[in-house]
Amino acid sequence: MINNASAMVLTPPAAIKPNTHNRVTLPKIKFANNIPEHKKPLLTDWVIHANQALRLVYGALPVENFLTVIEASNQGTSAVPWGEVNRSSPPTVTLVVNLNTSLDALKADWTIYHEFSHLLIPYDAADARWFSEGLASYYQNITQARIGMFDEKTLWQKLYEGFERGNKQQNYAHQKLAYVSDHISQNHNYMRIYWSGALYWLKADIALRALSKNAAKPYSLDLALKALQACCFNQYLSATDITQKLDELSESKIFSALLTEFSASYAIPDYLTLLSSLGVEVINGDIKLNNRAKLSLQRKAIFTDVALLTK
């Protein structure tokens, strides 16, 4: 990993123009010295694509001035071997890329969507890694689906398979999720930690969408996060603080109740019952969508966007 930020060049190239009709602001990108000049337009297109995907959560970026730093690596076979978010001012997302990768392969890699999705909540003071990593794991799939990288069936297949990976990590089943998450560097239970967190956000999303049936204004996790961004993005908040604020904004106890439930869990909570209620039926590891299920409309709304709930 290259840490010499002073040796980087600001982009995007002048040849790439903003879409003035949609008023999309070009992302701020810095390239490391080892990024060849001819690769910069391709990498810029990739970052623009991921920015547009993130906008599909609630119609705007959580923060317009965050910086994307791109560094090069020829190690490994994945398109994007590594990424991280630094909550500096402005926030910085660092992505290490394989220079031999095509634009299509970069777009198909989950890493950039995951790292960008971390920006959907204020800095959570790193006190509940399962909480923030779960949000990024949940929205990395939703943003890819909404921008057309895969269809609805694939979205739910990916979420189901993630929950299955989390469920298979049972070697610390004697310890609560909160403890396992705080000691991730010792136990390496990444799948249980990340996908328990993703299930937390899915359950919150479904609960909010169900609540909206009886509300004057439709609600969803997308809109709750938009309201959170408007009030609190520049604050340093604990996971408890974030859930209390989301409860206040949604006029519910959904987030804090689920935080208590998941923090105390000894394994990833039941996900098959929830998926079934959404019309996600699992047959020998493959999913089939049932549009007659009780919550199938909520499932479809997650795949598209919140606008479905206003119809």
Side-chain angles (χ1 to χ4, degrees), residues 130-131 200 203-204 207 239-240 243-244 246-247 252-265:
W130 70 265
F131 183 79
Y200 168 92
K203 290 191 76 170
T240 299
T243 57
Q244 289 174 347
L246 286 169
D247 280 349
S252 76
K253 296 294 183 182
I254 290 170
F255 294 93
S256 56
L258 286 172
L259 183 72
T260 300
E261 174 191 340
F262 275 71
S263 295
S265 65

Side-chain angles (χ1 to χ4, degrees), residues 160 163-165 167 199 268-276:
Y160 162 71
F163 299 146
E164 284 284 286
R165 291 194 295 273
N167 191 44
L199 182 60
I268 186 169
D270 176 33
Y271 50 90
L272 291 175
T273 301
L274 177 62
L275 291 177
S276 179

Side-chain angles (χ1 to χ4, degrees), residues 220-237:
S220 66
L221 181 57
D222 296 330
L223 291 176
L225 293 175
K226 183 177 183 179
L228 181 68
Q229 188 273 345
C231 76
C232 311
F233 184 82
N234 292 323
Q235 300 178 31
Y236 277 17
L237 303 174

Side-chain angles (χ1 to χ4, degrees), residues 65-85:
N65 67 336
F66 78 88
L67 179 67
T68 303
V69 175
I70 300 181
E71 302 175 354
S73 171
N74 292 320
Q75 299 180 358
T77 58
S78 63
V80 190
W82 184 76
E84 72 169 5
V85 177

